[in-house]
């Protein structure tokens, strides 16, 4: 009977130890998987393009610096995404501006060419219109060269050098080049 009591108490102790071990293991596993689950969910959000929700982990174990690093990475990715969005917006505006800047002299050229098709034009007027077309074509060529240079500059292929320019003389020259268009109503 003593032997049975010892076996029963030993068996009970083993069952209690196994039960406590199982409960402790589950608690530790749950505690361990909590930051892993948070990181997994956050990685899924980042993969779908959502960089706005930080990981809320307040533990003081090995996962705390990993979660903090993940949050910093998300902030960096969000900042880069915002920069890229602004860059794309500026790029779109630049393309629209370039299109407008190219269309203006091209429209002028086409208008003058249409006038030149009139065979009854006096030679002096024809010569004047040809000069205007030539000037507009050169302006168009200059714009295209400028845009090409800008793309090279943006790509880092073009050296920048500063130069003093007389702004008043430059603007006067620009206005003079458009004088005929303004006075003839060609613009």
């Amino acid at each position: 009977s003593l032997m049975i009591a010892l076996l029963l108490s030993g068996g009970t102790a083993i069952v209690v130890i196994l039960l406590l071990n199982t409960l402790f293991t589950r608690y530790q596993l749950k505690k361990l998987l909590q930051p892993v689950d948070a990181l997994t969910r956050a990685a899924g959000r980042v993969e779908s393009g959502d960089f706005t929700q930080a990981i809320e982990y307040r533990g003081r174990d090995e996962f705390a610096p990993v979660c903090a690093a993940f949050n910093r990475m998300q902030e960096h990715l969000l900042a880069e995404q915002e920069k890229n969005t602004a860059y794309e917006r500026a790029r779109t505006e630049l393309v629209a501006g370039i299109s407008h800047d190219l269309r203006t002299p091209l429209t002028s050229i086409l208008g003058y060419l249409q006038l030149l098709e009139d065979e009854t034009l006096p030679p002096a007027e024809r010569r004047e219109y040809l000069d205007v077309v030539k000037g507009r074509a050169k302006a168009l060529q200059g714009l295209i060269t400028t845009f090409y240079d800008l793309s090279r500059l943006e790509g880092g292929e073009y050296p920048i050098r500063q130069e003093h320019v007389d702004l008043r003389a430059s603007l006067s020259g620009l206005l003079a080049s458009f004088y005929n268009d303004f006075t003839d109503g060609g613009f």
Side-chain angles (χ1 to χ4, degrees), residues 35-184:
V36 172
D37 288 342
L39 283 164
T40 302
R41 284 191 307 275
R45 285 191 308 272
V46 166
E47 185 178 13
S48 67
D50 179 9
F51 307 117
T52 59
Q53 191 174 347
I55 297 173
E56 300 284 335
Y57 183 68
R58 304 215 191 302
R60 296 182 182 190
D61 54 14
E62 300 83 15
F63 286 103
V66 173
C67 291
F70 193 93
N71 286 338
R72 285 191 304 275
M73 178 196 68
Q74 268 192 154
E75 290 169 5
H76 176 72
L77 289 173
L78 182 61
E80 288 298 313
Q81 183 182 47
E82 289 169 353
K83 255 198 303 191
N84 286 341
T85 301
Y87 179 72
E88 284 305 315
R89 192 174 326 118
R91 193 174 204 66
T92 301
E93 290 172 6
L94 177 66
V95 168
I98 289 171
S99 297
H100 177 267
D101 289 348
L102 293 175
R103 191 177 316 133
T104 301
L106 189 57
T107 301
S108 177
I109 289 170
L110 291 172
Y112 278 104
L113 286 175
Q114 209 170 23
L115 290 172
L116 285 168
E117 286 178 340
D118 181 2
E119 294 179 13
T120 63
L121 273 176
E125 206 171 324
R126 181 179 289 279
R127 180 80 250 149
E128 181 185 335
Y129 289 170
L130 280 172
D131 287 344
V132 171
V133 168
K134 187 176 184 181
R136 293 292 164 260
K138 284 183 179 181
L140 192 57
Q141 184 179 33
L143 279 172
I144 292 169
T145 300
T146 299
F147 294 136
Y148 176 71
D149 289 344
L150 281 173
S151 71
R152 287 182 54 207
L153 181 64
E154 186 180 63
E157 313 171 21
Y158 199 71
I160 299 174
R161 69 177 195 280
Q162 289 186 347
E163 189 175 301
H164 289 284
V165 175
D166 182 358
L167 187 58
R168 192 174 311 192
S170 296
L171 287 175
S172 294
L174 181 64
L175 290 175
S177 72
F178 288 107
Y179 178 77
N180 286 340
D181 288 333
F182 288 129
T183 57
D184 294 345

Side-chain angles (χ1 to χ4, degrees), residues 27-38:
Y27 171 76
Q28 287 295 348
L29 194 56
K30 185 178 178 183
K31 190 176 177 183
L32 180 68
L33 288 180
Q34 182 185 11
V36 172
D37 288 342

